């Protein structure tokens, strides 16, 4: 009985879908090395990079959806006005997030972008408390407080709040909140968002190419042009991989994997882009990392208790049966 109970307790961890795990890890890894990709496009103005990213990702995602099921997915969403309005909002929010991120990377703020994605999970938690009236446990409050102290320290030492980090964290948390409240398939939702964004983005690309700083094709050369087109792939693929993975692995595992991205961004910022990372930065980041460690550790501990509880009950029942027999 004891051996059987032990096996049952271990099976959820052992049974994690490997393809889902690989897909989610790949998504966060791609997001983590994004700064290097956008740096290759530094000769292109940030707004044009953003516009091309939207256009080419829309071509890829919408094209794939049309090939798979025609316009049925768009009609289904259009028939629900509240869902359509929510996706219009989420498209505006993610467009802001993408634009701010690209500008920040090419303006030399990679370390601060990593800070934004480190604090994003805790901003998401705080938003859940304020908007959805969710309740936090004591250790979760301590984790949020540690992160808040870290941000406060960085604000005080710099003389101004880390607006880039807060803008990225807040916008992505808002995006996640909206998408959480909208019952729509992840890829379909991205397709509808792409339709909302693509016309303004395409108009801006055409305006830029009409003598306003555009150089698509011969102007920037084959290499830059190819990178701009491929930006659609590197934007859409991790989102699809994330959507695939998040359905197949526990959210607690997703929560741990998401720190791959900002960790790689921070390493790139310090070691590749040679941005400063002083003792002041280390103290602020350290408080945030402590909060994240408490938050993740508390989540893992509770998950392990939920996994082991049925096995312990089973073992206790089995022992009683054996003694009575």
């Amino acid at each position: 009985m004891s051996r059987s109970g032990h096996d049952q307790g271990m099976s959820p961890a052992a049974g994690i879908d490997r393809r889902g795990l690989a897909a989610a890890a790949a998504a966060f890894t791609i997001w983590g090395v994004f700064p290097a990709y956008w740096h290759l496009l530094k000769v292109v103005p940030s707004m044009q990079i953003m516009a091309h990213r939207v256009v080419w990702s829309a071509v890829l995602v919408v094209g794939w959806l049309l090939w798979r099921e025609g316009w049925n997915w768009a009609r289904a969403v259009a028939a629900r006005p509240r869902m359509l309005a929510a996706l219009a909002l989420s498209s505006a929010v993610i467009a802001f997030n993408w634009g701010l991120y690209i500008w920040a990377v090419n303006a030399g703020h990679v370390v601060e972008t990593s800070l934004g994605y480190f604090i994003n999970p805790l901003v998401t938690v705080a938003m859940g408390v304020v908007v959805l009236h969710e309740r936090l446990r004591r250790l979760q409050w301590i984790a949020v407080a540690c992160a808040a102290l870290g941000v406060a320290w960085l604000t005080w030492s710099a003389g101004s709040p880390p607006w880039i980090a807060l803008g990225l964290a807040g916008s992505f948390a808002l995006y996640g909140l909206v998408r959480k409240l909208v019952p729509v398939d992840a890829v379909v939702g991205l397709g509808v968002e792409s339709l909302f964004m693509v016309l303004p983005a395409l108009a801006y690309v055409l305006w830029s190419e009409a003598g306003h700083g555009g150089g698509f094709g011969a102007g920037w050369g084959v290499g830059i042009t190819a990178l701009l087109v491929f930006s659609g792939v590197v934007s859409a693929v991790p989102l699809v991989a994330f959507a695939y993975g998040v359905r197949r692995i526990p959210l607690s595992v997703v929560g741990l994997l998401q720190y791959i991205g900002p960790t790689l961004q921070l390493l790139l910022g310090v070691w590749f882009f040679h941005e400063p990372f002083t003792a002041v930065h280390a103290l602020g980041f350290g408080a945030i990392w402590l909060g994240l460690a408490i938050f993740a550790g508390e989540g893992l501990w509770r998950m392990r208790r939920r996994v082991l509880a049925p096995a312990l009950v089973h073992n206790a029942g089995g022992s009683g049966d054996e003694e009575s027999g």
Side-chain angles (χ1 to χ4, degrees), residues 37-53:
Y37 191 90
W38 304 128
H39 181 72
L40 295 174
L41 291 165
K42 198 169 184 178
V43 298
V44 182
S46 296
M47 282 298 294
Q48 290 192 46
I49 298 175
M50 169 62 187
H52 278 281
R53 181 182 187 181

Side-chain angles (χ1 to χ4, degrees), residues 28 31-32 35 97 101 109-126 143-148 150-151 154 162 164-173 254-270 277 281-296:
F28 288 116
W31 284 329
N97 180 273
Y101 181 78
H109 300 290
V110 176
V111 169
E112 191 170 343
T113 66
S114 75
L115 172 63
Y117 289 109
F118 273 123
I119 65 176
N120 170 251
L122 299 179
V123 173
T124 300
V125 170
V144 172
C146 287
V151 173
L154 292 171
I164 295 172
L166 293 175
L168 290 172
S171 59
F172 202 73
V254 176
L256 293 177
L257 290 176
Q258 70 183 336
Y259 299 120
I260 293 173
T263 299
L264 291 174
Q265 290 174 31
L266 178 61
L267 293 174
L268 280 173
V270 174
F277 189 80
H281 289 96
L283 190 57
F285 271 75
I288 293 166
W289 290 333
L290 176 61
L292 294 174
I294 293 171
F295 190 81

Side-chain angles (χ1 to χ4, degrees), residues 54-64 198:
V54 168
V55 169
W56 297 112
S57 63
V59 169
L60 179 65
V61 175
V62 175
W64 185 80
V198 71

Side-chain angles (χ1 to χ4, degrees), residues 22-34 38 53 57 60-61 98 172 186-187 190 230-246:
F28 288 116
T29 301
I30 293 171
W31 284 329
V33 298
F34 259 0
W38 304 128
R53 181 182 187 181
S57 63
L60 179 65
V61 175
W98 284 4
F172 202 73
V187 181
L190 179 60
F230 197 70
S231 69
V233 177
V234 300
S235 297
V237 166
L239 285 172
V240 174
F242 175 76
Y244 176 88
V246 76

Side-chain angles (χ1 to χ4, degrees), residues 140-306:
Q140 291 177 319
W141 277 116
I142 293 173
V144 172
C146 287
L149 286 173
V151 173
W153 167 256
L154 292 171
T155 297
W156 180 82
S157 59
S160 62
W163 292 116
I164 295 172
L166 293 175
L168 290 172
S171 59
F172 202 73
L174 178 58
Y175 177 76
L177 175 65
V178 174
R179 290 302 300 270
K180 177 181 176 64
L181 298 175
V182 179
V184 64
D185 175 79
V187 181
V188 169
L190 179 60
V192 175
E193 289 168 347
S194 299
L195 289 177
F196 278 117
M197 293 188 287
V198 71
L199 289 181
L202 181 60
Y204 184 76
V205 167
L206 295 176
W207 178 82
S208 299
E209 294 302 319
H212 297 93
F216 188 76
W220 290 320
V222 175
I224 296 297
T225 297
L227 287 173
L228 284 172
V229 173
F230 197 70
S231 69
V233 177
V234 300
S235 297
V237 166
L239 285 172
V240 174
F242 175 76
Y244 176 88
V246 76
R247 292 195 190 97
R248 290 164 174 80
I249 60 177
L251 284 178
S252 55
V253 177
V254 176
L256 293 177
L257 290 176
Q258 70 183 336
Y259 299 120
I260 293 173
T263 299
L264 291 174
Q265 290 174 31
L266 178 61
L267 293 174
L268 280 173
V270 174
W271 299 107
F272 182 77
F273 294 102
H274 306 293
E275 294 183 15
F277 189 80
T278 64
V280 170
H281 289 96
L283 190 57
F285 271 75
I288 293 166
W289 290 333
L290 176 61
L292 294 174
I294 293 171
F295 190 81
E298 195 267 355
L300 284 175
W301 177 70
R302 286 194 170 270
M303 181 185 73
R304 182 167 177 78
R305 284 187 65 186
R306 286 195 298 270

